[in-house]
């Protein structure tokens, strides 16, 4: 008996943390996005959108009367930062799910950690091919660029039916940019256009003379860019400064007003396909509530990354409420590990009416979204501020 005691103690000790791991209240939801580094140009918008969701959803009762609380962990811009944030949220903050990371490049590194810990991930902005396939616990509400990108090329052809020669540029050190450019190059081919040059750059570059010279030399009449915000903004600026006059289509990295200060007045007329439009407020009351609260808080209208972050928080909150409805048991009475598994399933059932329209998450984790838009950047006379104006 005496000899058994240490073994018994060991078993008990091992069991205690597991028993202690009930879901906390308010219910913690992790937000792992890039709040610093060059990725903060997107991350700040995500934080803003998520905070509005926390406020609006809690004002509406949270999860059947229990409040949610967002736990923010800055991933910065690289893989290590995302891995670290995920570990903290899963093990220390004991969140029910993680919303993040900002970049697909980071998702490929950090999501496997959540997968092993059986913690659901809802990607609010990952658009590269292959993200949901990382695992069973990985989903997203951001439509992949394979679905969204072709719209902007079609729109460019509408605006200028004479387009024939296309220059494609992409950031080769970024997973989403490398994935997105394949989609764009396929679209160019399928639409009967010719790719006359493919130019690579790095997300850390700020001198694009070589690439711009190649574009001008190839006599392109359409330029398509896949990169992050600062690099793409500088590339646009240098294209215009060195005399490129044709249309420019930007990928998902150019879909942020935080890019406006980078290319300034020269951002004007870039075409961007979007998974969100503030213009739907009249027919979408959820978007109206979101956009009104956002505008009141930040004195500017919301853009895609904010709307998607809101959507991700909303989807997790509603999926939690569904669990309570189905089991008749409060979330706080579940053990964390069990709840995380149930939440992963709940996320994938039914549909959600969100600021980005009606969506659902397929069993694979891929989002199903109905409405996409193409907007054109219009800069204000101050050359610093501007807006995305719907063209289709
Ligand atoms: N869509 C990007 C990605 O999947 C992130 C935001 S825009 C650069 O990496």
């Amino acid at each position: 008996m005496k000899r058994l005691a240490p073994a018994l103690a060991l078993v008990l000790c091992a069991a205690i943390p597991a028993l202690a791991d009930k879901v906390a209240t308010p219910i913690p939801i992790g937000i792992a996005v890039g709040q610093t580094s060059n990725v903060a140009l997107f991350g700040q918008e995500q934080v803003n959108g998520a905070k509005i969701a926390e406020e609006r959803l809690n004002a509406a009762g949270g999860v059947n009367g229990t409040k949610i609380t967002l736990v923010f962990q800055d991933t910065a811009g690289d893989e290590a930062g995302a891995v670290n944030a995920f570990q903290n949220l899963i093990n220390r903050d004991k969140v029910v799910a993680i919303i993040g990371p900002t970049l697909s490049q980071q998702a490929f590194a950090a999501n496997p950690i959540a997968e092993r810990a059986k913690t659901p991930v809802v990607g609010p902005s990952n658009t590269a091919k292959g993200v949901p396939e990382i695992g069973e616990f990985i989903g997203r509400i951001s439509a992949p660029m394979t679905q969204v990108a072709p719209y902007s090329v079609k729109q460019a052809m509408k605006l200028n039916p004479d387009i024939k020669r296309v220059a494609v540029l992409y950031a080769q050190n970024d997973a989403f940019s490398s994935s997105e450019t394949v989609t764009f190059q396929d679209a160019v081919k399928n639409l009967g256009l010719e790719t006359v040059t493919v130019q690579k750059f790095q997300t850390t570059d700020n001198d694009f003379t070589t690439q711009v010279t190649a574009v001008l030399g190839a006599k392109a009449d359409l330029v398509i860019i896949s990169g992050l915000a600062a690099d793409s903004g500088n590339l646009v600026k240098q294209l215009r400064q060195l005399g490129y006059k044709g249309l420019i289509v930007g990928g998902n990295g150019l879909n942020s007003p935080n890019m406006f200060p980078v290319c300034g007045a020269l951002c004007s007329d870039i075409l961007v396909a979007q998974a969100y439009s503030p213009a739907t407020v009249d027919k979408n009351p959820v978007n109206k509530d979101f956009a009104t609260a956002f505008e009141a808080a930040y004195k500017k209208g919301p853009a895609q990354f904010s709307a998607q972050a809101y959507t991700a928080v909303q989807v997790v909150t509603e999926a939690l409420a569904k669990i309570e409805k189905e089991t008749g048991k409060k979330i706080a009475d579940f053990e964390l590990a069990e709840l995380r598994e149930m939440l992963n399933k709940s996320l994938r059932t039914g549909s959600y009416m969100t600021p980005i329209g009606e969506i659902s998450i397929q069993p694979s984790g891929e989002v199903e979204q109905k409405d996409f838009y193409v907007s054109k950047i219009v800069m204000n006379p101050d050359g610093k501020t501007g807006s995305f104006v719907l063209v289709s």
Side-chain angles (χ1 to χ4, degrees):
M1 189 62 202
K2 255 193 181 162
R3 282 203 311 162
L4 271 180
L8 194 66
L10 209 71
V11 169
L12 281 176
C13 283
I16 287 164
L19 282 179
D21 275 358
K22 287 267 181 198
V23 180
T25 47
I27 304 166
I29 300 172
I31 308 283
V33 298
Q35 295 177 256
T36 55
S37 82
N38 57 338
V39 175
L41 291 177
F42 309 114
Q44 282 162 2
E45 286 188 65
Q46 296 180 304
V47 168
N48 287 351
K51 282 188 173 158
I52 297 294
E54 182 183 40
E55 187 254 307
R56 297 308 298 154
L57 295 166
N58 277 337
V63 178
N64 302 316
T66 310
K67 286 197 166 30
I68 56 161
T69 184
L70 300 184
V71 186
F72 290 89
Q73 281 288 316
D74 178 17
T75 62
D78 60 2
E79 294 88 337
V83 165
N84 198 27
F86 268 50
Q87 276 164 343
N88 284 339
L89 289 170
I90 294 167
N91 302 319
R92 191 190 62 199
D93 303 321
K94 305 198 187 306
V95 299
V96 294
I98 296 175
I99 292 168
T102 306
L103 299 183
S104 299
Q105 177 80 25
Q106 296 174 301
F108 288 116
N111 287 3
I113 290 162
E115 177 67 18
R116 282 195 291 277
K118 296 189 188 308
T119 302
V121 173
V122 179
S125 55
N126 307 148
T127 53
K129 208 170 147 190
V131 172
E133 289 79 359
I134 294 170
E136 264 176 62
F137 284 79
I138 313 303
R140 62 175 159 192
I141 57 84
S142 44
M145 278 319 261
T146 43
Q147 291 177 25
V148 190
Y151 290 97
S152 51
V153 184
K154 280 188 201 152
Q155 188 59 38
M157 290 175 75
K158 253 197 219 165
L159 291 175
N160 178 5
D162 295 332
I163 287 174
K164 287 195 183 59
R165 302 171 63 79
V166 186
V168 178
L169 301 98
Y170 72 98
Q172 61 173 337
N173 62 332
D174 177 65
F176 125 81
S177 302
S178 317
S179 167
E180 186 184 79
T181 194
V182 174
T183 304
F184 273 129
Q185 290 179 44
D186 285 349
V188 165
K189 203 155 136 202
N190 295 338
L191 293 166
L193 305 174
E194 188 193 347
T195 300
V196 290
T197 181
V198 176
Q199 293 292 315
K200 299 172 192 166
F201 59 89
Q202 307 281 330
T203 51
T204 45
D205 283 351
N206 44 39
D207 178 359
F208 297 93
T209 319
T210 312
Q211 290 86 348
V212 174
T213 307
V215 170
L216 296 173
K219 302 209 180 319
D221 41 29
L222 174 65
V223 164
I224 302 180
I225 301 172
S226 296
L228 303 186
D231 46 346
S232 299
N234 279 315
L235 172 54
V236 167
K237 193 165 146 186
Q238 291 169 35
L239 270 165
R240 294 301 190 204
Q241 282 170 342
L242 293 172
Y244 175 71
K245 299 223 161 34
L247 285 173
I248 298 177
V249 161
N252 198 225
L254 292 87
N255 194 359
S256 163
N258 285 343
M259 199 195 53
F260 298 165
V262 185
C263 37
L266 300 176
C267 299
S268 272
D269 294 337
I270 300 173
L271 291 167
V272 183
Q274 303 182 303
Y276 169 71
S277 171
T280 65
V281 289
D282 291 336
K283 51 178 191 196
N284 178 349
V286 185
N287 190 20
K288 184 164 183 122
D289 183 80
F290 160 64
T292 308
F294 191 98
E295 197 132 6
Y298 307 112
K299 313 289 169 239
K300 59 179 180 189
Q304 178 182 293
F305 293 111
S306 300
Q308 287 177 318
Y310 180 106
T311 299
V313 178
Q314 180 193 343
V315 160
V316 171
T317 307
E318 287 184 15
L320 288 166
K322 264 186 281 177
I323 295 175
E324 288 198 346
K325 197 164 163 226
E326 269 154 34
T327 60
K329 192 169 150 183
K330 296 300 279 180
I331 296 297
D333 293 333
F334 282 95
E335 279 188 25
L336 181 59
E338 184 192 10
L339 191 269
R340 283 171 170 171
E341 295 213 29
M342 291 178 79
L343 177 56
N344 198 51
K345 288 203 184 77
S346 181
L347 281 163
R348 286 158 175 71
T349 55
S351 64
Y352 305 90
M353 192 55 212
T354 74
I356 63 170
E358 191 184 337
I359 60 164
S360 57
I361 299 177
Q362 298 167 24
S364 66
E366 189 61 280
V367 65
E368 197 148 291
Q369 182 175 357
K370 295 195 173 80
D371 304 319
F372 300 110
Y373 312 88
V374 179
S375 290
K376 187 175 83 167
I377 297 178
V378 176
M379 294 301 293
N380 298 327
D382 66 8
K384 290 193 188 87
T385 59
S387 52
F388 288 94
V389 176
L390 205 59
V391 286
S392 80

